[in-house]
Amino acid sequence: MSFKEQKQFIYAFTIIAAGGLLFFLFKPFLPNKIFAEQLNSNKIVVDSLMLEAMKMEQDKSEESLFVKDSLIHKKSTIIEDSSKASLPDSEKKIAIPVKSNYRFIDVNDFNYNLIQEADSLGKYVLPKSKTLTTYNGKENLERFFEKLYELEKSTEGNVRIAYYGDSMIDGDLIVQDFRSALQTRFGGRGVGFVPITSESARSRYSIKHYTSGNWNTKNFMKGRADSIPYGINGAVHFSQDSTAGLKLLASGIKNSYRLNSPRLYYGKGNPNAAIQIKIDKDSLMQTIELNGTRSLNTATLSPKNSKRVELDFSQAQGLPIYGVDFSNDSGVHVDGFSKRGNSGLPLSLLHTAQMKEFDKTLSYDLIILQFGANVLTRKSKNYSWYSSRMSKVVAHLKKSFPEADILILGTADRGTKIGDLIKTDSSVVKLLRSQQIYAANTNSGFMSLFHLMGGENSASVWNDHKYMNNDYTHFSPQGSQKIGRMIYRELMNDYDAFAKARSQQTEEIEKNLEKEPAALQVTDSLKVKNDSLQN
């Protein structure tokens, strides 16, 4: 090495060493939360209604500030939330009414520095679920529980659930195991309603569906469009020409080994539209005309329980096509409706009249809402704006599906790198609280995935056990199966308590009915005796 090269090396080494020393000296003064191990929120596509709501909230906050004596003060028109007394002033106020007879989750209820228990080998043990001691609203699910009770006792009839969510249930994850568990106990076969296509169509395990030819899909993620007849899942599909086709294959999920009694849902449009249907390996294709005149029409594709269904659409341009339902004639059926980037707010764009048409044939008894992952990608001092708007969404759903109860699933834990550890960000609990509040304000049931996972700092442990992906937000396929079964068991705990009380009530009624004839006999005998004495 020449003298010049030695000099350059020494110079470079000195700079690197000085930089390392400066970093070490100033590390205590640097922010703890850096290089978060999570998805880049700027790359996540979220629905336009959430972006609009956050902008309105930001503008509202800016307008509510005024300068006095060179200090910035908040206007005093915001409702105080006394449960946040130990929080910074900026986080003590919430702008929505809270039902005072309920207790809600609070950010101060948790230890964010909690170190989870480890086994003898140093591996963290999966934490046990925490009991939710605050509002759960299970009394608001009694209509649904009554339908389950009647089904379990008679083994006849149908109970149907619509399960709406974001990317957490993409590809039927979570939902498929929740569905399978319910069908194992209460009966029922089939994967339920399947849209013509979706982002996860080819990766979905519970059913495989492939489109061919030219399709144009419109959905509610881009905002308001009153002229678009959205379907039950917030989307509608249009064939662009006569090359459009659809192929569906049964998969290996328990209770969904067959494509049960396929039925097509479509709207009003081209009276010349038709489909050619091929079932399994049949050499002959059946033709069905799609000339329904209502805003929502159905066509039974086959009475069989098949393994394969192929559809070719002819002259169907301009005809709204929604999807195919696979359900047998009794038991529990669960429709999974996922959309990546969905905050839940676009559900307000579902047309009430059209949803009532869907409800006439599908007859929903419970609607589950699992949202929050996308809301957490946008930081907020509190999520009162979200709670307020989702309250309106739930009111809209209740108007559209008047016979259905509503169950809100609170957000799961989400890990963020703070210092050298993956911890729960307090924003997770803030969002969880807002979800619980809007559940209470709308008389809905509430279940906390955060508590089911084990509470604070559980995401990192779930990741260690391969139950959560490396974004510390989304469950892995194994984790989705686990949390799906946990949701089922939690719901069944409440149902079993209801069923026990219901059975006791029935027994008491029957006992009272048995006593009535005996009482009547005593009364009659006394009357005869009195008559004889009088004579």
Side-chain angles (χ1 to χ4, degrees):
M1 182 182 292
S2 65
F3 174 76
K4 184 178 180 180
E5 290 173 333
Q6 288 179 346
K7 187 177 179 180
Q8 290 175 338
F9 174 79
I10 294 172
Y11 180 70
F13 179 80
T14 302
I15 292 176
I16 294 172
L21 179 62
L22 287 172
F23 177 78
F24 179 78
L25 292 174
F26 284 96
K27 184 178 179 181
F29 306 100
L30 294 174
N32 285 330
K33 189 188 298 184
I34 54 177
F35 310 126
E37 293 191 15
Q38 59 189 41
L39 290 174
N40 185 343
S41 62
N42 293 326
K43 295 182 179 179
I44 297 176
V45 178
V46 296
D47 63 79
S48 61
L49 289 187
M50 190 183 90
L51 297 177
E52 177 185 318
M54 293 198 69
K55 186 179 185 306
M56 290 176 64
E57 183 68 15
Q58 182 180 358
D59 292 344
K60 181 180 177 182
S61 298
E62 291 174 355
E63 289 174 2
S64 67
L65 296 174
F66 65 95
V67 179
K68 182 178 181 181
D69 296 331
S70 299
L71 296 175
I72 296 179
H73 300 276
K74 292 263 185 162
K75 286 184 178 179
S76 59
T77 57
I78 301 177
I79 299 172
E80 292 284 349
D81 181 0
S82 60
S83 68
K84 295 191 176 182
S86 60
L87 293 177
D89 289 343
S90 62
E91 298 179 17
K92 285 183 181 178
K93 298 175 180 179
I94 189 166
I96 60 173
V98 178
K99 291 190 175 181
S100 58
N101 56 327
Y102 296 126
R103 180 173 174 265
F104 298 104
I105 295 166
D106 189 273
V107 294
N108 297 308
D109 292 343
F110 304 96
N111 175 14
Y112 301 99
N113 294 315
L114 175 70
I115 298 177
Q116 297 287 356
E117 180 185 353
D119 60 21
S120 58
L121 299 176
K123 184 176 181 179
Y124 288 113
V125 178
L126 203 67
K128 294 181 180 179
S129 296
K130 285 181 175 290
T131 301
L132 182 66
T133 57
T134 52
Y135 175 83
N136 63 22
K138 59 185 177 183
E139 68 277 6
N140 296 315
L141 302 179
E142 288 187 355
R143 287 190 305 176
F144 168 67
F145 289 156
E146 179 66 27
K147 289 295 294 290
L148 275 183
Y149 182 81
E150 292 172 359
L151 173 62
E152 190 168 37
K153 291 299 181 183
S154 68
T155 68
E156 295 178 353
N158 286 279
V159 172
R160 199 169 193 111
I161 301 171
Y163 196 131
Y164 288 96
D166 50 27
S167 56
M168 298 288 276
I169 66 168
D170 198 32
D172 214 27
L173 291 175
I174 300 178
V175 180
Q176 61 189 11
D177 295 288
F178 175 72
R179 177 194 301 118
S180 180
L182 282 169
Q183 290 178 336
T184 296
R185 175 168 176 175
F186 296 97
R189 295 290 185 273
V191 297
F193 190 95
V194 179
I196 295 297
T197 188
S198 70
E199 298 152 315
S200 58
R202 298 205 175 190
S203 62
R204 179 172 174 170
Y205 182 64
S206 57
I207 189 173
K208 301 293 184 184
H209 51 136
Y210 308 89
T211 55
S212 58
N214 296 320
W215 288 94
N216 180 24
T217 297
K218 297 183 182 296
N219 64 67
F220 55 19
M221 291 292 287
K222 293 184 179 180
R224 297 175 177 84
D226 293 337
S227 62
I228 299 176
Y230 294 128
I232 189 72
N233 67 326
V236 59
H237 313 272
F238 295 95
S239 165
Q240 297 296 89
D241 53 42
S242 291
T243 65
L246 175 66
K247 179 170 66 175
L248 302 116
L249 306 175
S251 192
I253 293 290
K254 185 179 180 181
N255 301 315
S256 299
Y257 297 135
R258 294 287 185 273
L259 303 177
N260 300 83
S261 307
R263 181 168 54 172
L264 178 73
Y265 283 72
Y266 67 99
K268 180 181 178 181
N270 192 335
N272 298 318
I275 51 172
Q276 286 77 45
I277 308 162
K278 183 178 181 181
I279 303 296
D280 290 331
K281 297 181 180 180
D282 290 347
S283 58
L284 297 177
M285 296 189 72
Q286 178 187 2
T287 299
I288 296 179
E289 295 181 347
L290 303 179
N291 53 8
T293 58
R294 301 178 62 86
S295 64
L296 180 68
N297 306 282
T298 64
T300 299
L301 305 180
S302 173
K304 298 180 179 179
N305 297 326
S306 313
K307 292 285 289 184
R308 180 188 186 105
V309 174
E310 294 183 55
L311 307 176
D312 291 324
F313 291 81
S314 174
Q315 300 185 57
Q317 297 92 318
L319 180 70
I321 303 172
Y322 298 111
V324 183
D325 175 48
F326 298 100
S327 305
N328 69 335
D329 57 1
S330 65
V332 175
H333 304 102
V334 183
D335 302 328
F337 302 129
S338 67
K339 190 62 184 175
R340 297 174 189 172
N342 193 353
S343 67
L345 298 182
L347 293 176
S348 64
L349 302 180
L350 297 176
H351 299 166
T352 298
Q354 187 72 335
M355 293 307 101
K356 287 185 175 180
E357 289 298 314
F358 273 98
D359 200 32
K360 285 179 181 178
T361 56
L362 296 174
S363 301
Y364 287 109
D365 302 294
L366 179 68
I367 295 175
I368 298 176
L369 304 182
Q370 183 183 334
F371 297 102
N374 299 291
V375 183
L376 285 172
T377 64
R378 302 298 194 269
K379 295 299 179 183
S380 183
K381 290 181 179 179
N382 65 60
Y383 292 92
S384 58
W385 60 270
Y386 182 66
S387 187
S388 176
R389 284 166 174 78
M390 282 302 293
S391 293
K392 295 177 181 177
V393 168
V394 173
H396 177 71
L397 291 175
K398 287 190 171 187
K399 183 178 180 181
S400 301
F401 305 97
E403 299 302 317
D405 290 336
I406 309 287
L407 173 62
I408 310 300
L409 298 187
T411 183
D413 188 28
R414 187 172 192 239
T416 301
K417 191 168 186 180
I418 302 177
D420 296 327
L421 301 174
I422 302 296
K423 296 183 178 181
T424 297
D425 193 308
S426 62
S427 60
V428 170
V429 180
K430 292 175 189 175
L431 175 61
L432 189 65
R433 175 184 170 83
S434 78
Q435 292 173 316
Q436 190 181 41
I437 288 174
Y438 85 71
N441 284 343
T442 58
N443 297 317
S444 301
F446 179 78
M447 185 188 299
S448 168
L449 300 187
F450 179 80
H451 283 71
L452 290 183
M453 289 179 65
E456 61 270 48
N457 302 337
S458 57
S460 61
V461 184
W462 278 59
N463 174 263
D464 289 344
H465 286 259
K466 310 300 181 185
Y467 289 137
M468 186 161 271
N469 295 334
N470 289 333
D471 62 358
Y472 298 96
T473 299
H474 293 85
F475 296 105
S476 66
Q478 301 95 316
S480 296
Q481 182 182 50
K482 184 175 182 64
I483 198 70
R485 295 300 174 115
M486 293 175 82
I487 294 169
Y488 162 77
R489 285 194 293 270
E490 187 73 7
L491 186 63
M492 288 301 98
N493 287 339
D494 291 337
Y495 165 72
D496 288 338
F498 170 88
K500 181 178 179 180
R502 181 72 169 76
S503 295
Q504 291 174 346
Q505 181 187 52
T506 302
E507 290 175 3
E508 290 176 3
I509 292 173
E510 291 175 349
K511 286 180 180 178
N512 290 334
L513 290 175
E514 290 174 358
K515 291 178 181 178
E516 286 182 4
L520 289 173
Q521 288 179 4
V522 171
T523 302
D524 290 343
S525 63
L526 288 174
K527 183 179 179 181
V528 170
K529 185 176 182 181
N530 289 335
D531 290 344
S532 62
L533 290 174
Q534 291 174 2
N535 294 331

